[in-house]
């Protein structure tokens, strides 16, 4: 009757003490769920600590409620503690301690399982936001302690500790020796089991830690890292899968690098991240055309290796200058290049960028030996997109500004500065407008309306 009342009272006190407090903490730390917003780091840390808080409250309830209920039903006035009473007190409190361990562990594991989907959705793919949590090794040791370690301690106590409470007349040497042998066996089993599970935990966490370190290095851009495959089970599959993933990322990065060198980084990124197919969209851009004067004579008077070297220097200067202003070199056309500002990435100041690039190119190309260049700049509406066949296409821009820039490039050969921009480009510019001066107008081939011509003021 006493034990039944003790169990009922203990359970009642545990439930009434732990659940309301846990619920209060959960409501306060999960306010961001009610507000349907992303949690800040403090809220995330408090919410992720709920399983630990619930487990601690469960252990505290067992710790403080157990003695209270025990003395409530077996108080000093109604319970005489003799040798038998002391033995019963120790036995009851050991049972309460074991209950506290089991209860807190189950509370922690069940709470964490229930909160895991919420935390996963809140954390997403941002490992730097993940709060600290109990590792695999610590969980293994706690589970072993609850299932085997604590029962071994209790068994060791009952084997040797209980005979010490017997009267001296009943405490025979044989009983004491048997109890000592059993207690020693329990102690050795406890130490061996703790060592085995500690080693097992490290055997799991160490290779996982190496994979985590590899992932951290990959996130920092290191695609050379590999982890040693030292297992043949699930962990070995994880290690091999990590290495396979990194190799695939290296191959993808190599493709992106080679692809970017052929078509430009921006276009390569757009092609790899989207599958837009054929077609395009209308947009406002500024086209810059740069060409080499007298390329036929250059090829006739210079050996092919020398021509390639000269053109490489020419294109290198063009790519660096245009990229410095946020433009792209859409294509190399023999000894010329079509550069675009405002596509595929929209730029409100594409005219200013192109005009600055044209002036900078004049200086950058003037130092090259053996060649002279001309530049034409025009702005307007084009169709930017993929042109070609379904199995092979390229990004390009099609429209009147491209044609006009090419015609201005030819016209620039007759001007001292060898650089011409259309009036439409100057009208769309703001800061660069003061750096250019009008030099008349012409009607370029293929157009019915005249084009106003501008060249850099320094010319």
């Amino acid at each position: 009757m006493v034990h039944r009342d003790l169990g009922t009272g203990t359970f009642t006190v545990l439930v009434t003490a732990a659940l309301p407090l846990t619920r209060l903490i959960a409501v306060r730390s999960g306010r961001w769920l009610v507000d349907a917003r992303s949690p800040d780091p403090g809220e995330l840390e408090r919410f992720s600590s709920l399983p630990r808080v619930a487990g601690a409250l469960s252990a505290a309830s067992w710790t403080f409620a157990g003695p209270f209920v025990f003395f409530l039903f077996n108080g000093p006035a109604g319970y005489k503690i003799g040798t038998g009473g002391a033995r019963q007190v120790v036995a009851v409190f050991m049972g309460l301690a074991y209950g506290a361990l089991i209860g807190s562990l189950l509370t922690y594991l069940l709470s964490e399982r229930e909160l895991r989907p919420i935390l996963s959705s809140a954390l997403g793919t941002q490992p730097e936001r993940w709060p600290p949590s109990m590792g695999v090794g610590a969980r293994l040791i706690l589970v072993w302690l609850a299932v085997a370690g604590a029962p071994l301690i209790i068994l060791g106590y009952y084997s040797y500790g209980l005979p010490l409470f017997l009267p001296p007349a009943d405490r025979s040497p044989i009983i004491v020796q048997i109890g000592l042998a059993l207690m020693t066996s329990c102690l050795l089993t406890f130490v061996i089991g703790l060592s085995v599970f500690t080693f097992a935990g490290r055997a799991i966490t160490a290779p996982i830690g190496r994979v985590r370190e590899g992932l951290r290095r990959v996130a920092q851009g290191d695609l050379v890292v590999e982890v040693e495959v030292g297992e043949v089970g699930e962990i070995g599959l994880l290690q091999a899968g990590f290495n396979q993933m990194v190799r695939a990322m290296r191959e993808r990065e190599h493709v992106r690098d080679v692809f970017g060198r052929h078509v430009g980084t921006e276009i390569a990124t757009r092609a790899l991240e989207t599958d837009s197919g054929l077609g395009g969209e209308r947009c406002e851009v500024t086209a810059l055309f740069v060409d080499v004067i007298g390329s036929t004579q250059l090829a006739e008077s210079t050996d092919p290796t020398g021509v390639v070297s000269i053109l490489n220097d020419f294109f290198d200067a063009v790519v660096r200058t245009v990229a410095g202003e946020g433009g792209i070199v859409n294509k190399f056309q023999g000894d010329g290049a079509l550069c675009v500002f405002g596509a595929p990435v929209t730029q409100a100041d594409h005219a200013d960028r192109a005009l600055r690039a044209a002036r900078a190119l004049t200086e950058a190309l003037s130092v090259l030996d053996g060649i002279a260049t001309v530049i034409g700049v025009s702005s307007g509406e084009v169709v930017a997109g993929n042109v070609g066949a379904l199995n092979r296409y390229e990004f390009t821009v099609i429209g009147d500004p491209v044609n006009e820039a090419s015609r201005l490039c030819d016209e620039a050969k007759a001007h001292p500065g060898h650089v011409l921009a259309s009036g439409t480009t100057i009208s769309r510019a703001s800061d660069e407008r003061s750096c250019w001066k009008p030099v008349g107008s012409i009607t370029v081939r293929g157009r019915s309306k005249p084009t106003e011509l501008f060249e850099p003021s320094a010319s």
Side-chain angles (χ1 to χ4, degrees):
M1 185 67 177
V2 171
H3 292 295
R4 185 182 65 186
D5 292 339
L6 175 62
T8 304
T10 302
F11 177 78
T12 301
V13 172
L14 295 181
V15 172
T16 56
L19 289 183
L21 187 55
T22 305
R23 179 180 176 83
L24 176 62
I25 296 174
V27 170
R28 294 189 63 182
S29 61
R31 181 64 60 185
W32 54 276
L33 287 171
V34 180
D35 298 338
R37 57 180 174 82
S38 180
D40 59 44
E43 291 173 329
L44 191 59
E45 184 175 356
R46 287 192 297 271
F47 190 80
S48 65
S49 66
L50 280 178
R52 298 192 297 272
V53 171
L57 288 176
S58 177
S61 300
W62 280 92
T63 302
F64 293 105
F68 171 76
V69 175
F70 181 83
F71 285 108
L72 178 66
F73 288 93
N74 306 280
Y79 192 87
K80 181 179 180 181
I81 301 180
T83 56
R87 184 167 61 248
Q88 185 179 1
V89 169
V90 174
V92 170
F93 275 90
M94 289 188 71
L96 288 172
Y98 185 61
L101 175 63
I102 295 294
S104 60
L105 179 61
L106 288 178
T107 301
Y108 173 83
L109 294 178
L110 292 176
S111 302
E112 188 184 47
R113 187 186 68 177
E114 294 299 322
L115 295 179
R116 192 177 299 151
I118 302 176
L119 283 174
S120 299
S121 61
L123 294 171
T125 57
Q126 305 177 38
E128 67 277 1
R129 296 188 63 196
W130 288 17
S133 61
M134 186 181 298
V136 176
R139 298 186 193 198
L140 279 176
I141 293 177
L142 279 179
V143 171
W144 172 83
L145 188 62
V147 174
L152 282 172
I153 295 176
I154 296 175
L155 179 61
Y157 166 75
Y158 273 95
S159 300
Y160 183 69
L162 288 183
L164 296 181
F165 289 100
L166 295 175
D170 299 334
R171 200 183 305 159
S172 65
I174 296 178
I175 294 178
V176 174
Q177 290 176 3
I178 293 175
L180 179 61
L182 288 175
M183 186 192 70
T184 304
S185 300
C186 291
L187 179 62
L188 289 175
T189 305
F190 180 88
V191 173
I192 293 173
L194 181 62
S195 302
V196 169
F197 270 78
T198 302
F199 176 78
R202 290 180 179 176
I204 296 175
T205 57
I208 293 179
R210 288 192 290 270
V211 174
R212 285 184 58 190
E213 174 63 19
L215 289 172
R216 184 189 66 81
R217 292 175 60 182
V218 169
Q220 294 177 349
D222 183 5
L223 297 182
V224 185
V225 59
E226 285 194 1
V227 297
E228 180 183 358
V229 181
E231 306 284 342
V232 293
E234 289 86 351
I235 295 180
L237 290 174
L238 175 65
Q239 295 169 329
F242 171 82
N243 292 335
Q244 186 177 13
M245 177 197 71
V246 174
R247 283 194 294 270
M249 292 179 67
R250 280 201 300 265
E251 293 175 1
R252 178 182 175 87
E253 191 62 28
H254 178 67
V255 170
R256 181 190 295 269
D257 180 61
V258 174
F259 191 28
R261 291 175 186 270
H262 280 78
V263 301
T265 305
E266 295 84 358
I267 298 175
T269 302
R270 178 177 181 270
L272 290 172
E273 293 180 353
T274 62
D275 186 17
S276 54
L278 295 175
E281 57 183 7
R282 292 179 175 272
C283 57
E284 287 278 339
V285 304
T286 298
L288 184 153
F289 212 100
V290 55
D291 196 9
V292 174
I293 301 175
S295 57
T296 303
Q297 292 80 0
L298 177 66
E300 182 181 5
S301 60
T302 310
D303 64 276
T305 304
V307 173
V308 170
S309 177
I310 292 173
L311 290 180
N312 285 341
D313 292 338
F314 163 69
F315 288 131
D316 177 69
V318 172
V319 170
R320 284 188 291 105
T321 305
V322 171
E325 289 294 339
I328 65 167
V329 178
N330 182 229
K331 56 173 62 73
F332 297 122
Q333 297 180 344
D335 55 354
L338 170 62
C339 310
V340 179
F341 298 81
V345 179
T346 303
Q347 297 165 333
D349 59 341
H350 55 84
D352 285 293
R353 292 171 179 267
L355 292 173
R356 279 196 301 268
R359 293 194 298 114
L361 271 175
T362 304
E363 298 180 8
L365 298 176
S366 64
V367 300
L368 298 181
D369 295 330
I371 61 172
T373 59
V374 286
I375 299 173
V377 185
S378 180
S379 300
E381 187 179 66
V382 299
V383 174
N386 296 322
V387 176
L390 286 176
N391 59 349
R392 181 170 181 176
Y393 51 79
E394 67 174 5
F395 179 86
T396 189
V397 291
I398 298 176
D400 183 63
V402 178
N403 298 329
E404 189 175 47
S406 178
R407 300 291 184 264
L408 292 179
C409 204
D410 293 334
E411 180 66 23
K413 297 176 182 178
H415 288 256
H418 290 174
V419 181
L420 288 178
S422 68
T424 55
T425 303
I426 300 300
S427 66
R428 285 169 169 79
S430 55
D431 297 339
E432 277 292 308
R433 188 176 302 179
S434 60
C435 300
W436 295 71
K437 64 181 180 180
V439 290
S441 63
I442 62 168
T443 301
V444 299
R445 180 164 50 91
R447 301 193 73 202
S448 58
K449 296 181 179 180
T451 300
E452 294 182 88
L453 303 180
F454 287 79
E455 67 179 9
S457 300
S459 301

